[in-house]
Amino acid sequence: MRDGRLRLFSFATAEKRTEYLWVLRAFDHARANYVVLLHAADVEAVLGRISGDDPAAALTSSEIAPLLEQLHAWGVLERSYDGTRAATLAEYRNRHFVYQFGQEGFYAFRAVDDVLTGRGHDVALSRLALADLLADLTELADANDAGDGELVYRKLNRLDATLSDMAERAARFYLVLGDLVRTTEITPEVFLTHKDALLSHMREFSSDLARYAPKLTAALARVQATGAARLPALAAAHDERVLLSYEEREADWRQRWRGLEHWFAGMGSAPSESERLREGTMSAIAAVLALLRRLTETRRGGVSRESQLRHLAGWFAAAPSEDAAHALFGAVFDLGRPRHFSVPHSDADVVPANRSWWDAPPVEISRTLAETGRTPSAGAPGRVHRNDAAVRRLREVQWENQRRRADAARSLASGGVRDRELTEPETEVLLSLIDAALSARVPVSGRVRGDGTSGTQNGVKLTLRPSTESTVVRTARGRLYLDAMTVEVQ
């Protein structure tokens, strides 16, 4: 089955691959104009409009016909008989065929055409999509609360498409960024030209992602509060994929919803995809800044190794004779000189360095210098021994701390903070949540906003709201007083 599908790409390596590609582009152009079935004459007409001056596309109907037959043999095109084109009995017997894309053949063509026409600089992080995600989640909560299945289907479909586009664009962006970083030593001008726009784009995306993350998490929690379990059923009831059963559509939408939850809120102790994307962006900014620093240091002298080699190649090319080129080679690279004998005399006044070897007395040298041309040294540094057992113990301690913190967070969410004394792990979680909540609030004229502020960690959400009374929380470290604030833990 796989070998049969690989035959779909035979047109990309065939002898007339350029002609095959133009024929398929004609079918793709017609498909975009809602014309599916094409005869050889129709392909010729379309090529006359889209090919321009490319001689490979200057094909006649008689030349296109065998190309269509071969594409049909490879499975890229499907063939059917069109009797309406026969004007006489002889033409009817000659059988006129029309062709159209097969589903798998269209995928194969798009894959090849995307590789040929794709441009690396047309990539970017979809920063503006964050506002659309927030609006769609808000409307999804209202639609689910009202039981509007059609709107639930449209919003879930749009959320899934937006997140898929964000993930694909981010992957392509960091792939192109990696290629740019790897090729900077060869063409640093490309990087230096775009560095300001590149850093500004990544910083704006990271800032917007950090700003929208708590809002998106809160919007997701609101959707879950309206009964997220019935979302797949409502979406499946209005899904128009008639070739799938209702159970298959519901299972598909349930899996997509789990992916949405994982992207916004994560699963268990694992970080969410939004947090991973932000960390990846910050790491990319650090890598770009480090590369910029290295480029600045190498160019501080004003002359790069590339320009030196180019000038040297010009000198060799302009040498008047072969002897002059050999003399230039010996002066530049100094490969004919016995480097292991270049040792000064211990008394420079008795035997100066500019005296000829023929007149100077011999100098004692070490065996290492005579045999290898390298001065003797203390030897290679000792081998670094890895303490794998200690690394495993530290990793186990780290995992245990994470599990203990997650258990404390669940205990704090289930028991709350009132009428009991918090344990030491619960106290640590509470203090970190309060720190996150207080750092997120925005004071206006010396007062906190009326809707309060919140902080979220390990799946636990803490909300601080202004109040006329103070809150006292008993912890393992003592009493915690929150002046004019109430605490809610979910």
Side-chain angles (χ1 to χ4, degrees):
M1 184 64 177
R2 293 182 179 179
D3 294 340
R5 292 187 176 183
L6 289 177
R7 293 179 66 250
L8 296 170
F9 295 93
S10 299
F11 70 91
T13 58
E15 181 180 357
K16 296 183 177 181
R17 50 186 173 272
T18 307
E19 288 81 357
Y20 285 124
L21 189 60
W22 272 115
V23 169
L24 293 177
R25 284 175 178 170
F27 276 89
D28 185 50
H29 180 80
R31 180 188 178 108
N33 292 293
Y34 308 105
V35 178
V36 179
L37 299 174
L38 293 181
H39 187 263
D42 300 329
V43 176
E44 181 184 4
V46 174
L47 287 178
R49 295 194 302 268
I50 69 173
S51 62
D53 298 331
D54 194 340
L59 302 173
T60 62
S61 299
S62 59
E63 294 173 335
I64 294 174
L67 299 179
L68 295 175
E69 281 297 313
Q70 185 59 55
L71 289 171
H72 168 65
W74 285 330
V76 181
L77 298 179
E78 294 181 358
R79 185 182 67 180
S80 57
Y81 176 66
D82 185 13
T84 60
R85 294 179 176 270
T88 63
L89 180 60
E91 291 183 356
Y92 182 82
R93 291 173 178 174
N94 288 333
R95 303 193 56 150
H96 289 265
F97 289 106
V98 290
Y99 301 84
Q100 63 177 334
F101 264 124
Q103 183 177 3
E104 296 175 349
F106 177 72
Y107 292 153
F109 162 72
R110 293 304 305 171
V112 174
D113 193 57
D114 288 343
V115 171
L116 295 177
T117 60
R119 292 182 295 175
H121 298 292
D122 292 345
V123 295
L125 297 170
S126 50
R127 178 172 60 91
L128 301 179
L130 298 173
D132 296 335
L133 289 175
L134 181 60
D136 289 337
L137 280 175
T138 303
E139 295 178 7
L140 177 62
D142 296 336
N144 190 37
D145 192 22
D148 190 348
E150 182 178 356
L151 186 57
V152 166
Y153 166 71
R154 287 193 285 112
K155 291 303 173 183
L156 276 180
N157 197 16
R158 181 171 172 177
L159 281 169
D160 180 67
T162 303
L163 287 180
S164 299
D165 180 69
M166 281 190 66
E168 182 180 357
R169 289 162 69 98
R172 286 191 285 117
F173 177 81
Y174 291 123
L175 179 62
V176 173
L177 182 62
D179 293 339
L180 183 63
V181 169
R182 285 192 298 270
T183 58
T184 298
E185 295 181 359
I186 303 175
T187 57
E189 292 79 7
V190 176
F191 173 76
L192 294 176
T193 302
H194 303 288
K195 64 179 178 62
D196 293 331
L198 185 66
L199 289 172
S200 177
H201 179 63
M202 288 191 294
R203 283 171 175 164
E204 288 177 357
F205 177 77
S206 177
S207 177
D208 287 352
L209 188 59
R211 182 162 55 92
Y212 275 97
K215 298 179 181 180
L216 292 171
T217 304
L220 179 66
R222 184 185 172 193
V223 175
Q224 293 172 337
T226 59
R230 62 176 182 173
L231 285 174
L234 291 174
H238 294 80
D239 196 338
E240 297 179 348
R241 292 177 293 178
V242 295
L243 298 181
L244 296 178
S245 64
Y246 174 81
E247 291 76 13
E248 291 174 335
R249 297 195 298 260
E250 183 179 4
D252 179 52
W253 281 111
R254 185 174 293 106
Q255 182 178 0
R256 295 191 190 187
W257 175 248
R258 283 198 297 266
L260 290 174
E261 290 181 322
H262 178 59
W263 200 94
F264 289 110
M267 299 180 63
S269 59
S272 64
E273 290 299 323
S274 60
E275 294 174 355
R276 290 163 58 93
L277 182 57
R278 186 187 176 195
E279 292 176 359
T281 305
M282 299 304 296
S283 300
I285 292 176
V288 170
L289 291 177
L291 181 60
L292 177 61
R293 183 168 55 254
R294 291 198 302 270
L295 279 177
T296 305
E297 292 175 354
T298 55
R299 293 197 162 202
R300 187 169 297 171
V303 179
S304 65
R305 178 61 59 85
E306 179 184 358
S307 63
Q308 291 176 349
L309 293 176
R310 287 182 181 274
H311 279 84
L312 181 59
W315 292 347
F316 276 107
S321 63
E322 187 175 349
D323 293 336
H326 281 293
L328 177 61
F329 183 86
V332 172
F333 297 104
D334 199 17
L335 297 181
R337 179 183 178 187
R339 295 174 178 270
H340 55 280
F341 286 103
S342 59
V343 178
H345 196 274
S346 58
D347 191 349
D349 295 333
V350 177
V351 182
N354 58 357
R355 182 173 297 181
S356 173
W357 290 349
W358 299 106
D359 302 331
V363 179
E364 293 184 1
I365 61 175
S366 65
R367 181 180 296 273
T368 302
L369 184 60
E371 293 179 353
T372 64
R374 296 189 300 269
T375 57
S377 61
R383 184 178 180 182
V384 178
H385 296 280
R386 289 178 51 87
N387 192 348
D388 295 333
V391 173
R392 285 195 300 270
R393 287 196 299 271
L394 291 176
R395 187 177 291 114
E396 290 174 357
V397 171
Q398 185 180 13
W399 288 345
E400 180 61 29
N401 291 336
Q402 292 178 355
R403 287 193 295 267
R404 183 172 60 88
R405 189 176 182 86
D407 294 339
R410 287 192 292 269
S411 176
L412 181 64
S414 61
V417 298
R418 300 179 181 276
D419 301 329
R420 71 188 189 96
E421 181 176 339
L422 304 184
T423 62
E424 179 63 25
E426 292 175 340
T427 304
E428 293 180 2
V429 174
L430 177 66
L431 292 178
S432 62
L433 288 172
I434 292 177
D435 179 69
L438 292 178
S439 62
R441 66 179 182 177
V442 180
V444 179
S445 301
R447 300 181 61 185
V448 181
R449 294 184 301 178
D451 57 351
T453 184
S454 63
T456 304
Q457 288 184 4
N458 295 313
V460 179
K461 178 181 179 182
L462 179 140
T463 304
L464 297 176
R465 301 185 186 278
S467 176
T468 57
E469 299 179 355
S470 298
T471 301
V472 180
V473 182
R474 291 185 293 118
T475 69
R477 303 179 184 179
R479 296 177 180 270
L480 174 63
Y481 291 89
L482 299 176
D483 188 21
M485 302 292 290
T486 60
V487 181
E488 296 179 4
V489 181
Q490 298 176 355

